[in-house]
PDB file of all heavy atoms in Angstrom:
ATOM      1  N   THR B  37      19.228  35.551   2.308  1.00 95.00           N
ATOM      2  CA  THR B  37      20.051  34.950   1.240  1.00 95.00           C
ATOM      3  C   THR B  37      19.282  34.936  -0.069  1.00 95.00           C
ATOM      4  O   THR B  37      19.815  35.267  -1.146  1.00 95.00           O
ATOM      5  CB  THR B  37      20.426  33.498   1.621  1.00 95.00           C
ATOM      6  OG1 THR B  37      21.075  33.523   2.888  1.00 95.00           O
ATOM      7  CG2 THR B  37      21.333  32.864   0.583  1.00 95.00           C
ATOM      8  N   LEU B  38      18.030  34.550   0.048  1.00 95.00           N
ATOM      9  CA  LEU B  38      17.180  34.432  -1.125  1.00 95.00           C
ATOM     10  C   LEU B  38      16.979  35.782  -1.813  1.00 95.00           C
ATOM     11  O   LEU B  38      17.125  35.906  -3.038  1.00 95.00           O
ATOM     12  CB  LEU B  38      15.834  33.868  -0.654  1.00 95.00           C
ATOM     13  CG  LEU B  38      14.829  33.560  -1.714  1.00 95.00           C
ATOM     14  CD1 LEU B  38      15.362  32.471  -2.621  1.00 95.00           C
ATOM     15  CD2 LEU B  38      13.535  33.105  -1.057  1.00 95.00           C
ATOM     16  N   CYS B  39      16.650  36.789  -1.018  1.00 96.00           N
ATOM     17  CA  CYS B  39      16.393  38.111  -1.589  1.00 96.00           C
ATOM     18  C   CYS B  39      17.667  38.685  -2.220  1.00 96.00           C
ATOM     19  O   CYS B  39      17.611  39.322  -3.275  1.00 96.00           O
ATOM     20  CB  CYS B  39      15.848  39.057  -0.519  1.00 96.00           C
ATOM     21  SG  CYS B  39      14.140  38.674  -0.070  1.00 96.00           S
ATOM     22  N   ARG B  40      18.808  38.416  -1.570  1.00 96.00           N
ATOM     23  CA  ARG B  40      20.076  38.881  -2.113  1.00 96.00           C
ATOM     24  C   ARG B  40      20.328  38.219  -3.476  1.00 96.00           C
ATOM     25  O   ARG B  40      20.689  38.878  -4.441  1.00 96.00           O
ATOM     26  CB  ARG B  40      21.215  38.549  -1.136  1.00 96.00           C
ATOM     27  CG  ARG B  40      22.379  39.476  -1.219  1.00 96.00           C
ATOM     28  CD  ARG B  40      23.280  39.446   0.016  1.00 96.00           C
ATOM     29  NE  ARG B  40      23.442  38.125   0.586  1.00 96.00           N
ATOM     30  CZ  ARG B  40      23.122  37.820   1.856  1.00 96.00           C
ATOM     31  NH1 ARG B  40      22.629  38.726   2.673  1.00 96.00           N
ATOM     32  NH2 ARG B  40      23.316  36.595   2.308  1.00 96.00           N
ATOM     33  N   ALA B  41      20.102  36.922  -3.545  1.00 95.00           N
ATOM     34  CA  ALA B  41      20.329  36.185  -4.802  1.00 95.00           C
ATOM     35  C   ALA B  41      19.406  36.670  -5.909  1.00 95.00           C
ATOM     36  O   ALA B  41      19.783  36.700  -7.084  1.00 95.00           O
ATOM     37  CB  ALA B  41      20.132  34.685  -4.577  1.00 95.00           C
ATOM     38  N   ALA B  42      18.199  37.065  -5.532  1.00 94.00           N
ATOM     39  CA  ALA B  42      17.213  37.498  -6.531  1.00 94.00           C
ATOM     40  C   ALA B  42      17.336  38.989  -6.842  1.00 94.00           C
ATOM     41  O   ALA B  42      16.740  39.477  -7.806  1.00 94.00           O
ATOM     42  CB  ALA B  42      15.800  37.191  -6.032  1.00 94.00           C
ATOM     43  N   GLY B  43      18.115  39.704  -6.019  1.00 93.00           N
ATOM     44  CA  GLY B  43      18.204  41.157  -6.182  1.00 93.00           C
ATOM     45  C   GLY B  43      16.877  41.841  -5.888  1.00 93.00           C
ATOM     46  O   GLY B  43      16.460  42.778  -6.577  1.00 93.00           O
ATOM     47  N   VAL B  44      16.207  41.361  -4.858  1.00 94.00           N
ATOM     48  CA  VAL B  44      14.880  41.865  -4.489  1.00 94.00           C
ATOM     49  C   VAL B  44      14.905  42.203  -2.994  1.00 94.00           C
ATOM     50  O   VAL B  44      15.530  41.485  -2.207  1.00 94.00           O
ATOM     51  CB  VAL B  44      13.821  40.770  -4.777  1.00 94.00           C
ATOM     52  CG1 VAL B  44      12.471  41.130  -4.174  1.00 94.00           C
ATOM     53  CG2 VAL B  44      13.696  40.515  -6.272  1.00 94.00           C
ATOM     54  N   SER B  45      14.245  43.278  -2.590  1.00 95.00           N
ATOM     55  CA  SER B  45      14.219  43.615  -1.161  1.00 95.00           C
ATOM     56  C   SER B  45      13.243  42.695  -0.425  1.00 95.00           C
ATOM     57  O   SER B  45      12.314  42.146  -1.023  1.00 95.00           O
ATOM     58  CB  SER B  45      13.785  45.070  -0.972  1.00 95.00           C
ATOM     59  OG  SER B  45      12.414  45.197  -1.311  1.00 95.00           O
ATOM     60  N   LYS B  46      13.484  42.547   0.886  1.00 94.00           N
ATOM     61  CA  LYS B  46      12.569  41.720   1.678  1.00 94.00           C
ATOM     62  C   LYS B  46      11.167  42.317   1.658  1.00 94.00           C
ATOM     63  O   LYS B  46      10.167  41.594   1.614  1.00 94.00           O
ATOM     64  CB  LYS B  46      13.073  41.623   3.130  1.00 94.00           C
ATOM     65  CG  LYS B  46      14.093  40.508   3.313  1.00 94.00           C
ATOM     66  CD  LYS B  46      14.811  40.604   4.628  1.00 94.00           C
ATOM     67  CE  LYS B  46      13.990  40.128   5.804  1.00 94.00           C
ATOM     68  NZ  LYS B  46      14.819  40.083   7.053  1.00 94.00           N
ATOM     69  N   ARG B  47      11.136  43.652   1.684  1.00 95.00           N
ATOM     70  CA  ARG B  47       9.836  44.334   1.637  1.00 95.00           C
ATOM     71  C   ARG B  47       9.074  43.931   0.374  1.00 95.00           C
ATOM     72  O   ARG B  47       7.881  43.621   0.419  1.00 95.00           O
ATOM     73  CB  ARG B  47      10.100  45.846   1.665  1.00 95.00           C
ATOM     74  CG  ARG B  47       8.868  46.703   1.726  1.00 95.00           C
ATOM     75  CD  ARG B  47       9.272  48.188   1.655  1.00 95.00           C
ATOM     76  NE  ARG B  47       8.179  48.983   1.117  1.00 95.00           N
ATOM     77  CZ  ARG B  47       7.203  49.474   1.864  1.00 95.00           C
ATOM     78  NH1 ARG B  47       7.188  49.274   3.152  1.00 95.00           N
ATOM     79  NH2 ARG B  47       6.220  50.184   1.311  1.00 95.00           N
ATOM     80  N   SER B  48       9.787  43.908  -0.760  1.00 94.00           N
ATOM     81  CA  SER B  48       9.144  43.502  -2.024  1.00 94.00           C
ATOM     82  C   SER B  48       8.688  42.051  -1.956  1.00 94.00           C
ATOM     83  O   SER B  48       7.626  41.684  -2.459  1.00 94.00           O
ATOM     84  CB  SER B  48      10.109  43.667  -3.202  1.00 94.00           C
ATOM     85  OG  SER B  48      10.485  45.015  -3.335  1.00 94.00           O
TER      86      SER B  48
END
Side-chain angles (χ1 to χ4, degrees):
Chain B
T37 304
L38 185 63
C39 287
R40 208 161 38 238
V44 169
S45 70
K46 275 167 77 173
R47 184 184 154 86
S48 299

